[in-house]
Amino acid sequence: MKKHNFNAGPSILPREVIENTAKAVLDFNDSGLSLMEISHRAKDFQPVVDEAVALFKELLQIPEGYSVLFLGGGASLEFCMVPFNFLEKKAAYLNTGTWSKKAIKEAKAFGEVIEVASSADANFSFIPKDYTIPADADYFHITTNNTIFGTELKKDIDSPVPVIADMSSDIFSRPIDVSKYVCIYGGAQKNLAPAGVTFVIVKNEALGKVSRYIPTMLNYQTHIDNGSMFNTPPVLPIYAALQTLRWIKAQGGVKEMERRAIEKADMLYAEIDRNKLFVGTAAKEDRSRMNICFVMKPEFKELEADFLKFATERGMVGIKGHRSVGGFRASCYNAMPKESVQALIDCMREFEKLH
Ligand SMILES: *Cc1c(COP(=O)(O)O)cnc(C)c1O
């Protein structure tokens, strides 16, 4: 049976990305060696990193003066690397969910942290809009897509201080104005690559302004100076990321990814709003295009396990909601075809007819 992969992360990748990576695992560039058994300093591997960096810059139209890094540690390590490198006295954070909270917790070890607003009281079902960013903060940190709660900041914001964004789960899903940020980071396992590589886009001149000692591995400058090769980088996930970047470019770039994301999200939200059994959990204006969360209406609550079973039997994978929201979550990342979203909608309609 065809599987429709709605996993939240690690998640769906384009088929050709998986096939090309599989080929390189068996034989990298006709070298007779596997991608997994070559040196990251092999002359054939440097072009992989170079092309991945170049495609990042091209696809996101990253201006001069920014570096693109491929590191280990996940977005979770960035929660501490960001304040290590940027927080001298005070930082401002917008609290929009589990990942923001984790970022805030780490920052508190480095200085004063102002939580400008939070939607915690409403179980993070919306993105706060009414807040003031302190003009004396070193930076303002946002999570653009809240993977767990299904809300998304779909526009670049204006801020009196430099903006830093966790874009783990919506990078490459829309054009962004990188010049508005000093740092953008994320785990690649949502929309780019298998788990194991973290991307960081950092403005070079924003670095070097904190007075503390930064441990070598946690200092962005180390990785800029060494082209992401200070230590052994995650060779296989970087190779897979390159395949995804080539795929995005061939499909028409981030503008096309955005068009598809809107199309898919509109289809599924329309069904959620129409179907008598289901209701969306996020405020309409903040609905995420990447992670679509919905639950059974209270009067049909007892059908939740039945629907999960029904959908699973029809090939849906990974639609069980995160425990903090319950119900269902359909993650519709770039590689998710419209046909899979339609298959889920068909399931919802069939199930509705039975009740
Ligand atoms: C998944 C996720 C993280 C955590 O990423 P790791 O790479 O597992 O550390 C952080 N932020 C967001 C928005 C995420 O979706």
Side-chain angles (χ1 to χ4, degrees):
M1 182 183 27
K2 171 154 176 56
K3 299 283 180 166
H4 302 282
N5 184 358
F6 291 95
N7 278 328
S11 37
I12 188 167
L13 290 168
R15 192 64 210 171
E16 66 186 71
V17 169
I18 295 169
E19 282 170 359
N20 291 348
T21 306
K23 274 185 214 145
V25 165
L26 294 174
D27 184 358
F28 174 65
N29 276 5
D30 296 321
S31 62
L33 299 176
S34 166
L35 176 63
M36 299 191 296
E37 53 182 8
I38 56 161
S39 164
H40 54 296
R41 302 191 193 281
K43 78 169 176 0
D44 277 9
F45 190 69
Q46 187 62 49
V48 171
V49 177
D50 293 346
E51 189 185 342
V53 169
L55 279 173
F56 246 84
K57 292 187 173 174
E58 180 185 334
L59 291 167
L60 295 175
Q61 299 188 348
I62 300 177
E64 288 289 299
Y66 283 78
S67 299
V68 175
L69 308 173
F70 297 114
L71 310 176
S76 300
L77 185 60
E78 298 309 308
F79 296 161
C80 105
M81 275 177 84
V82 161
F84 239 128
N85 284 266
F86 293 106
L87 204 172
E88 179 70 8
K89 278 210 177 80
K90 186 198 268 191
Y93 279 70
L94 183 61
N95 185 2
T96 52
T98 309
W99 300 115
S100 308
K101 273 200 292 196
K102 291 189 177 187
I104 290 168
K105 173 172 181 275
E106 293 307 296
K108 282 182 174 164
F110 297 86
E112 188 187 347
V113 173
I114 310 286
E115 196 179 297
V116 298
S118 165
S119 47
D121 289 349
N123 199 31
F124 298 112
S125 57
F126 70 98
I127 308 243
K129 282 150 204 95
D130 203 16
Y131 55 82
T132 310
I133 304 164
D136 59 345
D138 297 319
Y139 62 84
F140 177 48
H141 182 282
I142 54 175
T143 312
T144 49
N145 184 62
N146 298 284
T147 323
I148 292 176
F149 296 95
T151 62
E152 186 177 10
L153 249 170
K154 296 182 279 279
K155 283 204 187 87
D156 304 311
I157 56 163
D158 293 312
S159 159
V161 301
V163 181
I164 296 183
D166 173 356
M167 293 198 187
S168 294
S169 50
D170 62 347
I171 190 79
F172 293 112
S173 71
R174 65 172 173 95
I176 44 176
D177 180 356
V178 176
S179 71
K180 289 193 162 178
Y181 302 83
V182 289
C183 181
I184 296 170
Y185 66 84
Q189 70 276 18
K190 311 281 163 64
N191 220 356
L192 190 63
V197 63
T198 314
F199 62 85
V200 180
I201 302 166
V202 59
K203 188 172 188 177
N204 301 332
E205 66 172 30
L207 294 171
K209 295 190 174 155
V210 292
S211 50
R212 72 176 62 84
Y213 168 76
I214 306 173
T216 311
M217 266 300 280
L218 301 182
N219 193 331
Y220 290 125
Q221 197 61 52
T222 303
H223 301 290
I224 293 174
D225 294 344
N226 291 279
S228 298
M229 298 230 192
F230 173 75
N231 72 322
T232 316
V235 167
L236 190 145
I238 292 174
Y239 186 86
L242 170 61
Q243 306 310 309
T244 303
L245 293 164
R246 285 180 179 168
W247 177 85
I248 295 172
K249 183 173 172 178
Q251 302 297 306
V254 284
K255 201 84 204 118
E256 173 62 12
M257 294 298 118
E258 181 181 47
R259 189 195 67 73
R260 293 182 191 181
I262 293 173
E263 184 180 33
K264 288 179 283 181
D266 283 354
M267 281 165 59
L268 188 47
Y269 283 122
E271 176 59 18
I272 292 166
D273 293 342
R274 187 210 60 77
N275 195 306
K276 70 172 188 212
L277 304 177
F278 303 100
V279 59
T281 56
K284 285 195 176 165
E285 70 276 15
D286 298 325
R287 283 174 161 181
S288 168
R289 295 168 187 156
M290 299 285 106
N291 311 97
I292 297 176
C293 296
F294 55 104
V295 294
M296 292 300 235
K297 282 189 186 150
E299 60 271 35
F300 297 108
K301 182 88 185 114
E302 77 285 357
L303 293 177
E304 194 172 295
D306 286 355
F307 178 68
L308 192 62
K309 184 162 170 283
F310 184 86
T312 306
E313 282 166 4
R314 284 157 183 77
M316 307 304 133
V317 176
I319 61 161
K320 190 172 166 45
H322 189 277
R323 62 187 179 282
S324 348
V325 181
F328 312 99
R329 169 175 54 173
S331 297
C332 300
Y333 297 118
N334 284 344
M336 167 69 58
K338 195 165 100 176
E339 293 67 35
S340 289
V341 177
Q342 188 57 51
L344 175 57
I345 292 171
D346 293 345
C347 264
M348 293 163 75
R349 289 194 178 148
E350 265 184 70
F351 193 73
E352 181 190 34
K353 281 199 201 115
L354 299 175
H355 300 279

